[in-house]
């Protein structure tokens, strides 16, 4: 929810710069962790590709979506729709871009 990470496993599509690193980071952040999912009523539960849209919270209160942005492994987007954390996510992504973190170092 609210992010777009570079492609790394999309069939019939080239691997995008930063895709493998984004995938590795996400696994290191969430594998083996208990998480809580929260939908955003403004976005709906699934997108046009039938992907589940949710905010992902760790039990320690970390919002994984924001952490991914802070580390530069995705860009902030609601695909033209407003979402609850749009300003916060955009600021986190802008800071990562300015510091050339993650995918912004390609």
């Amino acid at each position: 929810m609210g992010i777009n990470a570079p492609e790394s496993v999309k069939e019939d599509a080239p691997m995008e710069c930063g895709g493998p690193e984004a995938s590795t980071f996400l696994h290191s952040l969430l594998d083996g962790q208990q998480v809580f999912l929260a939908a955003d009523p403004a976005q709906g539960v699934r997108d046009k590709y039938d992907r589940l849209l949710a905010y992902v919270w760790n039990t320690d209160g970390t919002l994984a979506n924001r952490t991914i942005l802070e580390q530069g492994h995705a860009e902030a987007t609601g695909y033209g729709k407003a979402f609850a954390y749009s300003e916060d996510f955009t600021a986190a992504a802008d800071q990562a871009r300015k510091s050339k973190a993650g995918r912004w170092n390609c």
Side-chain angles (χ1 to χ4, degrees), residues 9-85:
V9 294
K10 186 175 180 183
E11 196 172 304
D12 297 326
M15 188 177 309
E16 295 178 347
C17 184
E21 294 83 0
S23 178
T24 298
F25 179 77
L26 183 61
H27 281 284
S28 72
L29 184 65
L30 299 177
D31 281 359
Q33 300 294 313
Q34 181 177 17
V35 297
F36 300 93
L37 305 179
D40 188 320
Q43 288 283 321
V45 177
R46 299 216 174 249
D47 68 7
K48 67 181 182 178
Y49 302 107
D50 201 36
R51 296 178 294 196
L52 181 65
L53 300 175
Y55 297 111
V56 180
W57 296 92
N58 285 2
T59 55
D60 68 1
T62 301
L63 179 54
N65 312 55
R66 186 178 200 288
T67 302
I68 293 164
L69 292 165
E70 289 171 335
Q71 298 300 311
H73 294 299
E75 59 186 315
T77 184
Y79 297 98
K81 295 181 182 178
F83 60 99
Y85 297 98

